[in-house]
């Protein structure tokens, strides 16, 4: 497969969409990001790496970090994790309070904000040093110990994080938060603030594409079955209430973030990361979604 030629074609084809959408202005630090950036990087299981654009520029991965958090929690807790959250698509906005109230504090899945906050609570309770241990895990996946939190972004999120504060208080009311609210919320915002570039993100997601090799990173061990299940949750829940559209147009498991990044995998073949800061109304990158749609179209590879 001529991946380099394909991504160069894709990179040019999405140019007309570059001015559509807006950055996540509700997080002040993200509103300052250059909206004209775009990048794509593919890493294959056979050792290939193909990139185009700003693939070496780091950005706030935001909700993409929820995949790493889920991997840690599932590796540490196993299936008992699902007693505190579901595995179903939300069908509502990622920060909805209405659904959480109706379902008595049990988040629909681990990728909406409520579910990720519960995972943050679980990790905060289990890990000896949650902030260090989570970052070490991500660094290990990326094979780069310079990957770090952006404390300005996490502070910016906390200062404007009224809705997430409401979510965690509602979770606490229903008994689904065990730790101290402010400490768990701080940890959640830190996880979202992790900065990576597309090369690092594609490399970090490659283990999720490899079902034939044990997943053992920084003391976290996942079975092949658990990795497949993480992919399944990405497929059905990785794009909030646009997960069906992503499955329809792209057809591989992935996870988006409001920093404009998307990471995805084609099981058994490659991982891919794209980035473009302007988002659509659902909170997903306009250009990023299109790049991945064109990728599976040109390669004629999808899981369906």
């Amino acid at each position: 497969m001529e991946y380099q030629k394909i991504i160069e074609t894709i990179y040019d084809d999405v140019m007309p969409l570059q001015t559509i959408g807006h950055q996540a202005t509700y997080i002040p630090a993200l509103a300052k990001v250059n909206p004209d950036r775009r990048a794509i990087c593919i890493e294959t299981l056979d050792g290939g790496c193909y990139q185009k654009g700003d693939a070496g520029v780091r950005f706030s991965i935001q909700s993409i970090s929820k995949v790493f958090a889920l991997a840690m929690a599932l590796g540490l807790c196993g299936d008992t994790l699902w007693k505190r959250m579901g595995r179903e698509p939300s069908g509502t906005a990622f920060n909805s309070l209405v659904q959480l109230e109706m379902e008595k504090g049990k988040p629909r899945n681990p990728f909406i904000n409520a579910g990720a906050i519960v995972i943050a609570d679980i990790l905060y309770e289990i890990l000896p040093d949650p902030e260090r241990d989570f970052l070490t895990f991500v660094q290990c996946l990326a094979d780069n110990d310079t990957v770090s939190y952006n404390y300005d972004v996490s502070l910016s999120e906390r200062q404007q994080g009224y809705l997430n504060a409401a979510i965690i208080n509602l979770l606490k009311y229903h008994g689904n938060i065990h730790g101290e609210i402010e400490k768990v919320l701080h940890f959640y915002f830190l996880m979202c603030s992790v900065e990576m570039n597309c090369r690092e993100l594609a490399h970090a997601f490659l283990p999720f594409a490899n079902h034939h090799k044990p997943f053992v990173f920084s003391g976290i061990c996942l079975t092949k079955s658990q990795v497949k299940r993480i992919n399944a949750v990405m497929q059905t829940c990785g794009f909030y209430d646009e997960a069906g559209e992503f499955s329809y147009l792209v057809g591989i498991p992935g996870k988006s973030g409001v920093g404009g990044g998307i990471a995805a995998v084609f099981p058994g073949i490659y991982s891919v990361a794209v980035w473009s800061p302007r988002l659509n109304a659902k909170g997903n990158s306009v250009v990023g979604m299109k790049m991945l749609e064109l990728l599976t179209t040109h390669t004629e590879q999808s899981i369906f």
Side-chain angles (χ1 to χ4, degrees):
M1 187 69 67
E2 296 185 36
Y3 287 114
Q4 188 62 42
K5 182 178 179 181
I6 289 170
I7 64 174
E8 288 178 3
T9 299
I10 290 169
Y11 189 83
D12 292 336
D13 287 349
V14 297
M15 175 65 84
L17 303 178
Q18 190 69 47
T19 59
I20 299 175
H22 304 277
Q23 304 102 296
T25 54
Y26 67 92
I27 301 174
L30 296 187
K32 300 175 184 178
V33 175
N34 180 354
D36 296 323
R37 299 279 197 184
R38 74 183 189 278
I40 180 171
C41 181
I42 295 174
E43 188 161 338
T44 61
L45 287 173
D46 62 8
C49 185
Y50 313 91
Q51 61 188 43
K52 180 70 176 177
D54 301 307
V57 178
R58 285 179 173 168
F59 58 92
S60 180
I61 67 171
Q62 291 293 311
S63 288
I64 299 172
S65 68
K66 295 172 182 177
V67 177
F68 304 139
L70 173 59
M72 287 193 84
L74 192 59
L76 292 167
C77 302
D79 284 346
T80 60
L81 174 71
W82 305 116
K83 293 179 180 179
R84 294 180 62 180
M85 68 193 68
R87 301 185 293 266
E88 295 294 335
S90 64
T92 60
F94 57 85
N95 53 7
S96 172
L97 279 166
V98 176
Q99 187 175 71
L100 187 62
E101 172 64 15
M102 289 178 61
E103 298 181 352
K104 302 185 186 306
K106 184 175 182 179
R108 186 66 69 89
N109 65 67
F111 292 153
I112 56 175
N113 288 15
I117 289 171
V118 171
I119 292 227
D121 181 61
I122 291 168
L123 295 178
Y124 199 88
E125 187 174 20
I126 294 175
L127 296 173
D129 187 340
E131 294 177 17
R132 184 198 64 191
D133 295 341
F134 178 76
L135 186 59
T136 299
F137 177 62
V138 177
Q139 290 172 338
C140 188
L141 284 171
D143 194 23
N144 190 327
D145 61 8
T146 69
V147 170
S148 189
Y149 300 121
N150 184 320
Y151 292 95
D152 289 337
V153 170
S154 66
L155 179 60
S156 175
E157 290 197 63
R158 181 64 191 99
Q159 289 174 337
Q160 299 295 322
Y162 307 116
L163 193 50
N164 283 317
I167 288 171
I168 196 171
N169 275 277
L170 186 55
L171 288 164
K172 186 76 168 180
Y173 172 79
H174 285 286
N176 207 1
I177 293 292
H178 299 167
E180 295 180 31
I181 283 177
E182 195 56 43
K183 289 182 178 179
V184 173
L185 200 57
H186 173 70
F187 180 44
Y188 168 73
F189 287 136
L190 270 183
M191 289 194 295
C192 291
S193 79
V194 168
E195 286 193 327
M196 302 173 76
N197 60 43
C198 283
R199 287 199 303 264
E200 293 159 348
L201 200 50
H203 189 76
F205 263 68
L206 197 61
F208 297 102
N210 192 350
H211 296 166
H212 306 293
K213 183 178 178 181
F215 186 110
V216 182
F217 292 90
S218 190
I220 301 299
C221 304
L222 294 170
T223 66
K224 290 185 289 185
S225 178
Q226 286 174 321
V227 172
K228 289 180 181 179
R229 281 161 169 72
I230 290 173
N231 284 348
V233 178
M234 281 199 281
Q235 186 72 58
T236 57
C237 308
F239 295 81
Y240 312 119
D241 50 338
E242 200 172 18
E245 186 75 357
F246 188 80
S247 287
Y248 181 81
L249 294 175
V250 181
I252 55 176
K255 183 73 194 81
S256 62
V258 296
I262 301 173
V265 298
F266 187 90
I269 300 181
Y270 66 74
S271 60
V272 57
V274 296
W275 175 47
S276 180
R278 288 190 173 97
L279 311 178
N280 63 21
K282 303 292 187 180
N284 298 313
S285 171
V286 174
V287 167
M289 294 275 283
K290 191 63 177 181
M291 283 196 285
L292 292 176
E293 178 188 349
L294 292 174
L295 174 63
T296 57
T297 298
H298 284 297
T299 60
E300 297 183 351
Q301 294 174 324
S302 83
I303 66 169
F304 301 110

